[in-house]
Amino acid sequence: MGKPWQALGPRNAYPTAVRPAAGDFASFTKWDRADACQKFTSLEDALKTLLNTRAWGAAITVVALLLGGCAQPARPPHYRIGFAQCSSKGPWRQAMQAGMERELSFHPDVQLRTLNSHDNSALQKQQIHELIESGIDLLIVSPYESAPVTPAVEEAYRRGIPVVLLDRRTASQAYTAFVGADNVEVGQTAARYAARLLRGHGKVLEVLGSPGSSATSGRHEGFSKALRDYPGLEVVSQVTGNWTESSLKPGLVDALKAHPEVSLIYAHNDGMARAAYLICQELERADEVRIIGVDGLASPGEGIDLVQRGMLKASLLYSPGGEDAIRTALNILHKQPFKRENILGTMVIDSTNVLTMRQQTDKMVSQQQDIERQQGLMEHLEATYASQQHALYAALLSLLGALALGAFAWRSARKNRLINQQLALQNAENVKINHQLSAQNEEISSQRNQLEVMAERARIDTEAKLRFFTNFSHELRTPLTLILGPVEELLGNSAGFSSTQRHDLGLVRRNTQRLLQLVNQLLDFRKIEVGKMAVHATEGNLVSFVREIVDAFEKPARLRDVRLRFLAAEPVLLAWFDGNILDKVFFNLLSNALKFTPEHGQITISLQAADEGRALQVSVTDTGRGISEQDRAHIFEWFYQGDQGAVAKGSGMGLALAQGLVRLHQGRLSFSSQAGSGSTFTVRLPRELPASLRAEEQARPVVLSLDEPEPIEAELTDLAPAPAEAVSETLVLVIEDNAEVNDFLMRKLGASHRVQSAADGYTGFAMATELIPDLIVCDVMMPGLGGLEVVARLRADWRTSHIPVILLTARGAPEQQVEGVQAGADLYLTKPFNPTFLLESVRTLLANRARQREHLRRELSVDAAGLTTQADQKFLADLTAVVEADLSKSNLSVEDVARSLGVSRMQLYRKVKAVLNTGVTDFIQGVRLTKARELLLDDALTIADIAYELGFSSPSYFTASFRARYQLTPSKFRALHASTAP
């Protein structure tokens, strides 16, 4: 039985016309409880009616019946929400359910019915149909698998039932709202954190969730996609953990044993990450393997706790979203605005912020407990109030029975005083709660103030670093000026210099200008940062100004076979601008367009009026490869260098400086780009500028010069290599992406060797396998295929495994030099290098390799132990096996041997010549004669039999070849060894 008087409904619920009159109580003795409850809506209503009619006996009977309880069924909730949960096991799912219950505690008029499918898609589909048929007002679905439950969700959507997808999506767009985190973003964030943790190099093991789960596929997809930006990181193995710890151990133990080089484990949830740590601890690898998990829950043994205890390196926050799902559902039911896509953010929880996260979650738990305690207190007060109300009515019944109206009034007043006391106590409790909330607000304010202080300190530190950087840049201008001045003077009086000397002086001048321009960009950047870059605008024709800049790029574009088009809507477009500032903007945009436009491409510069003639718009469009989606958000950030492919990296200042300079002109720099289709940068400038930006006198003429000065063409006769008869037969391959360094190396090496060059690692490796050079000089830092990877490929290929390699690099740290030598390089030279030392190193390496070949040639009985690499040893073993298999063929040719080995005749010749210092025909002859020595020891074979068995055309030819090799005839050799036999 419930609360009888509450069940009767509100006061005066029935109209006066239907209330019973005095005469209706003549048969009150025949009433039962149902009759009393039907006639009166409340005890107070019954008392007033009966007392007014003076029906005292009837009043006593009716009140007794009412006190007996007219409990009616409780009204159903205003809204009914159905929740099709894929699983309730696991702390993350439990946190989701707890979040829903917390939010629903504020909405007693909402009923939630949860059905658990226990990770069974067929059962979940059946449960969704069951919820639809039960008449729910809104459906929340957390799918286990997307495709199987999609038809059931679409059916609910077609019936007009709002559908909220939680955590995972279906395979259809038929839903009202989605609440959940982006699993792809979680994977990408994990990859970026792993790259930062391992400094871009390391081996990674990925622990997957359940196969077919959208969370598993999304987190794996995001992790794999982001890893493409870090070629130094490699996923060497994947283990399926099915979201549980029990099924993970066998596969993970095998993977860790198979890949001892693993330095990081990325697990798709914190439970599997915890199991991975325990497994690493059993294998005594917990200190060397770093582990990243996903979920970041605050309960004991979960993400935040594991990070704080040092078991995990980090955990990515993946919010369960229970509260957000209920809030979104209520907004939909209440016809309030809501977002269709509610993507919950993620963040990395590691040692830098785990303490703060722990404190925040503990504070939230404490506040939630306070709220629940207060709700419990309110329910207790309501129960007390209902109980006391019942007692009051019982007292009223006693007073009515005794007809003591005075006592009835006194007791009513007394009861009112008790209620007031309860309300006073409740008010005091509310005041106490308000004090607690005020204290919490003060604590939050204190934390915010601390963050502001830390931010200000970081700003001051950054400002100090920039100031030092700027001062250092100022100091660089003096030595650069002292270098550039004498070089310019020498070039101005270069009649006595040879073309080679003039070329070298031009090389010094161009690179000094590059350094000076970088310093100027740094100084301009600093001026913009501190607001010291002034605009001195004059009125001029922007068309002619831009045309002069475009003309400066005509020759470099022609040399690269790039078409340059300039399109102006009108021949004269006047505007106020500072040419000394805008030339840096347009030079940078055109330099970038020329740098990223391939051969046979096109660059279009268009100029036209905009904003109804109040502004001018200059667009630079190229047909390059475009800007990746990842780089677009950071393209105007200072010092940002995105993925530039096979193009040499810049300083990362150009576009940021250009945007700052355009803003000084009160203009706007924007861009549009599509991967594979090129980019368009647009500068929009107002034609009129305020008086404060206008120059008082005419500006000095703008001196136009390219940021990348075009190369000085040297006279081919002076720079050509020495005549062929003066050059060694040795072939040197130069692999260098910088054109000037490449040209410099070719000129230095071309005086004494034949030289070929390649501009990138892929082309260089292909030329090495085709030409089989005697020595390779290779740069380390190259776009695409780097120098270390080139060396590794050369050493792994038997055609090139013998070639000495000299690595050139600006990375001079000892550990970097060790890395180069470990990759297989014979010599590691740091830039800047001494050309004489380089030439002597080349000569020494070639001489050593020649001595090694001579030694092997003398020992042609083919002992492969003298070879330096396993690839060379394998090549010699395969070559010997091919020849021995066809020794009886008198017509065995070099082409036959090359065909059997799968190489060309020239490649085989250069390989044998490089390794053994002999020809292929001589090698075949040597193998035959070596075999002949063995057969001559067998007296059962005649010399003629041996000659024909080994492929000699005649015994006389065999005898002549044997005598030429061993200085005695076969018969004398047999007789000599027969006499020495025991």
Side-chain angles (χ1 to χ4, degrees), residues 480 483-484 487-488 491 500-518 706-714 719 738-741 743-744 747:
L480 288 175
I483 295 173
L484 189 58
V487 170
E488 293 283 3
L491 284 173
T500 302
Q501 291 170 330
R502 289 197 301 274
H503 183 276
D504 290 342
L505 287 174
L507 189 66
V508 174
R509 181 178 67 177
R510 290 195 302 276
N511 286 278
T512 305
Q513 287 176 342
R514 288 193 184 98
L515 287 175
L516 190 58
Q517 287 162 356
L518 287 175
L706 290 175
D707 286 348
E708 294 292 333
E710 65 179 273
I712 298 174
E713 295 184 5
L719 297 183
N738 185 286
E740 292 184 340
V741 177
D743 178 69
F744 177 76
R747 288 191 294 107

Side-chain angles (χ1 to χ4, degrees), residues 171-353:
S172 168
Q173 292 295 318
Y175 62 88
T176 309
F178 170 78
V179 177
D182 187 352
N183 283 295
V184 175
E185 181 183 356
V186 169
Q188 292 176 337
T189 304
R192 288 191 292 267
Y193 181 80
R196 187 169 67 252
L197 188 64
L198 300 180
R199 298 182 179 178
H201 295 278
K203 306 297 182 182
V204 181
L205 189 150
E206 186 177 8
V207 180
L208 306 174
S210 299
S213 168
S214 59
T216 299
S217 60
R219 295 174 188 179
H220 170 70
E221 176 187 354
F223 191 77
S224 301
K225 181 178 180 181
L227 278 188
R228 298 171 189 165
D229 296 332
Y230 306 99
L233 290 179
E234 179 185 0
V235 177
V236 297
S237 181
Q238 293 178 342
V239 179
T240 300
N242 292 315
W243 305 117
T244 62
E245 304 174 21
S246 57
S247 60
L248 174 63
K249 185 172 183 179
L252 184 56
V253 169
D254 294 341
L256 288 174
K257 289 181 178 180
H259 300 281
E261 72 277 11
V262 168
S263 57
L264 184 139
I265 296 177
Y266 163 51
H268 283 198
N269 71 355
D270 289 332
M272 296 189 296
R274 179 176 57 247
Y277 174 83
L278 297 177
I279 292 171
C280 290
Q281 201 172 40
E282 292 179 6
L283 299 177
E284 297 183 354
R285 296 189 59 188
D287 293 334
E288 62 187 45
V289 178
R290 304 170 183 179
I291 303 174
I292 300 175
V294 178
D295 285 345
L297 298 180
S299 54
E302 295 304 320
I304 294 178
D305 182 48
L306 296 175
V307 173
Q308 191 172 17
R309 290 161 56 188
M311 297 174 67
L312 302 186
K313 195 66 180 178
S315 177
L316 275 75
L317 177 63
Y318 189 77
S319 177
E323 297 94 333
D324 300 88
I326 295 298
R327 294 190 193 106
T328 302
L330 293 177
N331 286 337
I332 296 172
L333 293 173
H334 293 153
K335 310 298 183 184
Q336 295 179 353
F338 67 96
K339 291 173 61 178
R340 189 170 190 264
E341 299 294 330
N342 300 270
I343 306 301
L344 306 179
T346 185
M347 65 175 292
V348 177
I349 303 173
D350 58 8
S351 59
T352 62
N353 59 0

Side-chain angles (χ1 to χ4, degrees), residues 944-972:
D945 293 336
I946 295 173
Y948 291 122
E949 183 176 346
L950 295 178
F952 289 96
S953 58
S954 65
S956 59
Y957 175 54
F958 167 59
T959 301
S961 300
F962 195 89
R963 183 188 297 113
R965 172 84 175 184
Y966 299 111
Q967 287 75 46
L968 71 167
T969 63
S971 57
K972 290 183 179 180

Side-chain angles (χ1 to χ4, degrees), residues 865-926:
L867 298 179
T868 56
T869 66
Q870 292 183 353
D872 287 347
Q873 296 173 6
K874 184 178 184 303
F875 161 72
L876 194 53
D878 293 342
L879 176 62
T880 304
V882 169
V883 173
E884 289 181 345
D886 295 325
L887 277 180
S888 61
K889 294 182 180 179
S890 60
N891 59 346
L892 179 62
S893 64
V894 178
E895 288 78 5
D896 295 335
V897 177
R899 191 181 306 111
S900 299
L901 292 175
V903 296
S904 68
R905 185 179 188 279
M906 180 57 67
Q907 287 176 326
L908 178 61
Y909 170 76
R910 293 194 61 84
K911 179 68 178 181
V912 174
K913 187 68 175 178
V915 174
L916 302 174
N917 197 26
T918 186
V920 181
T921 303
D922 292 339
F923 176 80
I924 296 174
Q925 188 78 326

Side-chain angles (χ1 to χ4, degrees), residues 666-706:
Q666 299 184 354
R668 184 174 74 253
L669 174 60
S670 59
F671 77 95
S672 61
S673 181
Q674 185 174 359
S677 301
S679 306
T680 298
F681 283 83
T682 302
V683 178
R684 179 166 294 193
L685 300 169
R687 303 184 76 165
E688 297 290 336
L689 290 177
S692 59
L693 300 182
R694 298 184 180 184
E696 297 180 357
E697 58 184 16
Q698 190 68 23
R700 291 173 297 176
V702 177
V703 179
L704 301 178
S705 63
L706 290 175

Side-chain angles (χ1 to χ4, degrees), residues 400-521:
L400 182 64
L403 301 177
L405 296 178
F408 173 79
W410 177 79
R411 292 181 66 87
S412 297
R414 182 170 177 268
K415 185 63 178 178
N416 288 334
R417 289 195 299 272
L418 292 175
I419 293 175
N420 290 335
Q421 290 175 359
Q422 292 290 337
L423 292 176
L425 292 175
Q426 183 176 351
N427 289 335
E429 184 67 22
N430 290 337
V431 170
K432 182 179 178 181
I433 293 173
N434 289 335
H435 284 310
Q436 293 177 351
L437 292 177
S438 298
Q440 293 174 1
N441 288 334
E442 291 177 359
E443 183 179 355
I444 294 173
S445 299
S446 175
Q447 293 176 353
R448 184 183 65 247
N449 294 336
Q450 292 177 359
L451 291 175
E452 291 176 353
V453 171
M454 294 172 62
E456 178 64 18
R457 187 179 302 131
R459 187 193 65 79
I460 293 174
D461 292 342
T462 302
E463 181 69 19
K465 292 177 183 178
L466 289 176
R467 191 181 302 111
F468 168 77
F469 203 23
T470 304
N471 294 338
F472 185 74
S473 300
H474 271 292
E475 293 298 325
L476 285 177
R477 291 175 66 91
T478 298
L480 288 175
T481 302
L482 293 177
I483 295 173
L484 189 58
V487 170
E488 293 283 3
E489 185 176 353
L490 289 173
L491 284 173
N493 302 289
S494 59
F497 295 126
S498 65
S499 295
T500 302
Q501 291 170 330
R502 289 197 301 274
H503 183 276
D504 290 342
L505 287 174
L507 189 66
V508 174
R509 181 178 67 177
R510 290 195 302 276
N511 286 278
T512 305
Q513 287 176 342
R514 288 193 184 98
L515 287 175
L516 190 58
Q517 287 162 356
L518 287 175
V519 170
N520 291 335
Q521 285 184 344

